[in-house]
């Protein structure tokens, strides 16, 4: 390796070190930190983020980009240079003092959001959210955009996808989901959700989900499971990928399916090629592809009949008495009940994308100055009623339920719906190469995880999201696979 290439990699390792320290700080703030520690910790986050920003936009980084982008013959270094050049060009447009202030605001806002959520008081959070929105509007102007200001933010999470794409795909998907929801509501063959009732101790839920995570291939020697208000997965590095969950002792589904969801994220990060370690390529290529992995395991695997054919007896060994004599078919239909939910992370498979569309429409309107932050609680409730036929009785169950806006993650929400469509497309392709139902019903997850690693995980950011979709499935994004999957599954459950 040439000396200049090694010097470039050394700079990237410095950058990765600050990134890891920042992620560890965020993990602590979301899981362990005492309330009085937030202010000082926010300053620490600001300091660490400032150091990352300085490296990303430094003259030294620019030197390496210019020297290596047309001369290196190393494929990893070439891709790393391309990634660094994009980050350099975007981030240098933001004044460093402004960036530091924004990062400190993010960490403070998350703490205030938690307090506002607990007290069900949107006015506590509103001034922080107004500042976050203003920052994101300015950043969008700094970065530039062609047709829609929101595209500049969407690019941070799903490169290559624009509002034009979303505004074509989402209405078609909504129409199909609404038609199925009408048939489900009219069905005379509905599951009995009362069979889910019963106190299910947290420790027993945790024990069952740990069993499942081990079977999926989550490496606990390179990760851990903790409890938090809003579940998340976070990768400090490929050898330290942590997941969190939230327990409800009156409804095991939140923790079981939520933990498997975060486990899907973690498998992605744990199985990136080691040759990418220490570079900005050593992470998922986009939030949409990331969500495709979590939703693949949560919905296409763990909510399937095949999964419970294999795992129901194990589940019953941990579950309370009312599950011991419950027939598998009744259990399977009950966990897949379609019923509009106030809370996104508790939503069923079919109505879940509608939650995403509501958030997308609201934040798109916010960024384009079509609505104000103060309008959000009322608009949220109106859209919930329009899309799902229910109205949140409190802001805790409405506009305050998600952490994303508190963290400044505008442009993130569409990734969930895109990831769901990606997952269906991957599932369709995988099923042509192996019998997924048979493997899952036999508890054989290794071939499934290995296929995902070979086709998706190992590449990290070596490939762009739309490149992965086309390479793996031999076609562009196609929402029909998700519609067909949902129609087949719920047509059988609800007999339509």
């Amino acid at each position: 390796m040439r000396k200049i290439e090694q010097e470039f990699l050394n700079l990237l390792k410095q950058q990765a070190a600050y990134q890891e320290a920042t992620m560890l700080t965020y993990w602590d703030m979301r899981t362990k930190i005492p309330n009085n520690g937030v202010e000082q910790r926010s300053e620490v986050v600001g300091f660490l983020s400032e150091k990352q920003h300085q490296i990303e936009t430094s003259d030294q980084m620019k030197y390496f980009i210019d020297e290596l982008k047309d001369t290196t013959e190393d494929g990893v270094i070439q891709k790393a240079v391309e990634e660094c050049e994009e980050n350099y060009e975007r981030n240098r447009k933001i004044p460093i003092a402004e960036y530091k202030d924004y990062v400190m605001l993010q960490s403070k806002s998350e703490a205030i959001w938690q307090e506002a959520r607990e007290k069900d008081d949107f006015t506590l959070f509103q001034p922080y959210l107004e500042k976050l929105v203003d920052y994101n509007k300015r950043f969008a102007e700094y970065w530039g955009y062609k047709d829609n200001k929101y595209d500049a933010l969407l690019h941070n999470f799903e490169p290559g996808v624009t509002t034009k794409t979303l505004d074509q795909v989402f209405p078609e998907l909504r129409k199909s989901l609404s038609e199925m929801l009408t048939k489900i509501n009219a069905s005379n063959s509905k599951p009995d959700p009362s069979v889910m009732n019963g106190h299910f101790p947290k420790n027993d839920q945790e024990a069952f989900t740990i069993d499942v995570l081990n079977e999926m291939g989550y490496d606990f020697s390179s990760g851990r499971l903790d409890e938090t208000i809003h579940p998340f997965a976070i990768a400090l590095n490929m050898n330290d990928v942590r997941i969190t969950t939230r327990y409800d002792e009156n409804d095991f589904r939140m923790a079981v399916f939520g933990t498997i969801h975060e486990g899907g994220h973690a498998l992605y990060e744990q199985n990136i090629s080691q040759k990418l370690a220490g570079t900005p390529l050593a992470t998922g290529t986009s939030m949409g592809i990331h969500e495709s992995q979590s939703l693949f395991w949560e919905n296409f695997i763990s909510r399937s009949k095949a999964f419970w054919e294999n795992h129901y007896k194990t589940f019953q060994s941990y579950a309370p008495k009312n599950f011991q004599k419950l027939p598998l078919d009744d259990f399977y239909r009950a966990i897949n009940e379609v019923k509009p939910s106030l809370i996104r992370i508790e939503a069923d498979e079919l109505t879940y994308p509608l939650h995403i569309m509501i958030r997308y429409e609201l934040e798109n309107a916010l960024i384009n100055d079509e609505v104000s932050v103060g309008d959000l609680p009322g608009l949220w409730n109106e859209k919930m009623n329009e899309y799902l036929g229910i109205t949140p009785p409190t802001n805790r169950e409405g506009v305050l339920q998600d952490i994303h806006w508190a963290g400044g993650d505008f442009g993130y929400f569409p990734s969930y719906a895109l990831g769901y469509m990606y997952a269906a497309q991957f599932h369709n392709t995988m099923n042509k190469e192996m019998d997924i139902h048979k493997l899952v019903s036999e508890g054989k997850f290794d071939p499934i995880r290995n296929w995902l690693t070979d086709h998706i995980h190992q590449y990290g950011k070596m490939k762009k999201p739309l490149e992965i979709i086309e390479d793996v499935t031999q076609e562009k994004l196609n929402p029909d696979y998700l519609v067909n999957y949902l129609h087949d599954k719920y047509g059988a459950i609800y007999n339509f």
Side-chain angles (χ1 to χ4, degrees):
M1 181 177 292
R2 292 185 299 162
K3 181 181 178 182
I4 190 171
E5 292 175 333
Q6 187 59 60
E7 291 173 346
F8 173 60
L9 292 177
N10 289 341
L11 182 64
L12 295 186
K13 287 180 181 178
Q14 291 180 38
Q15 184 179 342
Y18 283 115
Q19 173 72 10
E20 180 169 336
T22 305
M23 290 298 99
L24 181 58
T25 303
Y26 272 127
W27 172 83
D28 182 70
M29 290 183 74
R30 293 181 180 181
T31 57
K32 305 291 184 183
I33 192 169
N35 291 337
N36 290 343
V38 172
E39 187 74 25
Q40 173 64 25
R41 193 63 56 81
S42 297
E43 293 185 15
V44 172
V45 171
F47 170 80
L48 293 170
S49 299
E50 181 182 17
K51 290 297 183 182
Q52 292 178 64
H53 189 273
Q54 287 174 344
I55 292 174
E56 287 180 335
T57 60
S58 66
D59 292 340
Q60 187 180 19
M61 180 64 78
K62 177 62 172 170
Y63 167 75
F64 286 129
I65 291 169
D66 290 342
E67 290 295 316
L68 291 171
K69 67 178 181 180
D70 295 321
T71 63
T72 184
E73 296 180 0
D74 186 298
V76 171
I77 292 177
Q78 179 61 46
K79 287 292 184 181
V81 168
E82 292 174 9
E83 182 71 16
C84 289
E85 183 173 29
E86 180 175 349
N87 290 336
Y88 175 86
E89 293 298 335
R90 285 175 67 81
N91 292 334
R92 74 186 181 93
K93 297 175 181 178
I94 301 176
I96 191 164
E98 191 170 338
Y99 178 76
K100 181 180 179 181
D101 289 345
Y102 175 68
V103 171
M104 291 173 64
L105 174 65
Q106 285 176 299
S107 55
K108 291 177 184 177
S109 296
E110 289 191 6
I112 293 296
W113 164 79
Q114 290 190 33
E115 181 183 354
R117 186 178 181 278
E118 289 168 3
K119 296 180 177 179
D120 187 29
D121 186 352
F122 181 75
T123 62
L124 284 176
F125 179 51
Q126 182 174 336
Y128 291 84
L129 184 55
E130 288 171 343
K131 291 178 183 178
L132 289 165
V133 170
D134 286 342
Y135 269 111
N136 276 274
K137 289 176 184 176
R138 288 208 300 277
F139 292 171
E141 295 292 350
Y142 290 151
W143 291 324
Y145 53 91
K146 184 178 179 181
D147 299 314
N148 188 312
K149 190 185 299 185
Y150 185 78
D151 288 340
L153 305 177
L154 185 60
H155 179 85
N156 291 330
F157 303 100
E158 207 60 25
V161 175
T162 64
T163 50
K164 184 178 180 180
T165 302
L166 299 179
D167 290 341
Q168 289 174 342
V169 172
F170 281 177
E172 295 176 8
L173 181 58
R174 182 187 173 192
K175 181 175 181 292
S176 297
L177 296 177
S178 297
E179 290 173 353
M180 281 186 267
L181 193 54
T182 298
K183 293 177 181 178
I184 286 170
N185 289 336
S187 172
N188 294 319
S189 177
K190 289 185 171 72
D192 178 7
S194 68
V195 301
M196 294 288 102
N197 296 340
H199 182 261
F200 199 144
K202 182 177 74 173
N203 290 343
D204 293 329
Q205 293 185 43
E206 181 180 39
F208 175 71
T209 54
I210 287 174
D211 280 354
V212 175
L213 286 171
N214 279 316
E215 290 180 23
M216 288 168 59
Y218 176 69
D219 184 358
F220 274 95
S221 65
S222 297
R224 54 183 291 148
L225 174 64
D226 292 279
E227 191 172 352
T228 190
I229 293 176
H230 193 105
F232 64 94
I234 191 165
L236 308 187
N237 59 63
M238 286 180 279
N239 297 310
D240 189 349
V241 184
R242 306 179 182 196
I243 58 179
T244 66
T245 194
R246 178 180 165 196
Y247 297 96
D248 181 343
E249 294 193 328
N250 295 313
D251 189 345
F252 71 88
R253 289 170 291 185
M254 177 184 291
V256 169
F257 295 119
T259 306
I260 292 170
H261 177 100
E262 301 306 335
H265 281 303
L267 287 179
Y268 190 174
E269 295 287 341
Q270 286 187 338
N271 287 290
I272 291 170
S273 172
Q274 286 290 334
K275 69 181 181 181
L276 305 182
T279 77
L281 306 173
T283 189
T285 188
S286 76
M287 289 316 303
I289 298 297
H290 236 305
E291 287 302 323
S292 77
Q293 301 309 288
S294 56
L295 290 169
F296 184 94
W297 284 100
E298 178 191 357
N299 291 344
F300 294 86
I301 302 299
S302 72
R303 293 185 189 269
S304 71
K305 185 69 171 291
F307 180 88
W308 292 103
E309 287 172 351
N310 181 267
H311 287 80
Y312 193 43
K313 287 184 178 179
T314 303
F315 173 83
Q316 287 176 314
S317 70
Y318 292 106
K321 292 181 179 179
N322 57 298
F323 288 98
Q324 305 309 316
K325 295 183 179 180
L326 179 65
L328 171 59
D329 191 58
D330 291 350
F331 173 85
Y332 167 72
R333 296 181 78 237
I335 63 170
N336 285 292
E337 178 196 20
V338 172
K339 181 181 179 181
S341 166
L342 294 170
I343 308 301
R344 175 184 61 85
I345 62 173
E346 298 174 11
D348 57 80
E349 288 181 283
L350 194 139
T351 61
Y352 182 83
L354 300 176
H355 287 262
I356 302 308
M357 294 176 199
I358 290 170
R359 290 153 174 78
Y360 160 65
E361 291 172 10
L362 288 176
E363 65 180 25
N364 190 4
L366 270 176
I367 298 302
N368 284 289
D369 296 308
E370 295 167 5
V371 302
S372 67
V373 170
D375 298 329
L376 285 177
L379 290 173
W380 183 288
N381 291 353
E382 288 174 14
K383 285 187 176 291
M384 283 291 291
N385 187 53
E386 178 187 356
Y387 279 56
L388 292 161
I390 53 177
T391 302
T394 67
N395 285 326
R396 182 189 297 113
E397 297 166 289
V399 71
L400 286 173
Q401 67 179 267
D402 292 305
I403 196 173
H404 302 64
W405 290 344
D409 290 334
F410 293 92
Y412 189 127
F413 277 119
S415 300
Y416 289 112
L418 289 166
Y420 203 1
M421 289 183 273
Y422 295 160
Q425 205 160 325
F426 290 143
H427 182 265
N428 178 74
T429 299
M430 184 190 292
N431 218 23
K432 295 176 183 177
E433 301 178 26
M434 62 183 75
D435 188 336
I436 298 176
H437 185 282
K438 185 173 186 294
L439 288 170
V440 175
S441 66
E442 295 174 353
K444 297 177 180 177
F445 293 141
D446 287 355
I448 295 170
R449 186 188 65 256
N450 291 338
W451 189 95
L452 293 170
T453 294
D454 291 344
H455 290 81
I456 301 165
H457 300 167
Q458 65 165 319
Y459 295 106
K461 297 189 84 166
M462 287 285 286
K463 292 184 177 183
K464 297 295 185 184
L466 297 182
E467 185 181 359
I468 284 182
I469 289 293
E470 294 188 29
D471 285 352
V472 174
T473 69
Q474 302 302 305
E475 62 179 309
K476 296 181 179 180
L477 172 64
N478 186 343
D480 290 347
Y481 293 110
L482 177 57
V483 172
N484 293 339
Y485 160 77
L486 292 171
H487 188 276
D488 290 347
K489 177 173 181 175
Y490 288 95
I493 291 174
Y494 283 88
N495 195 25
F496 66 79

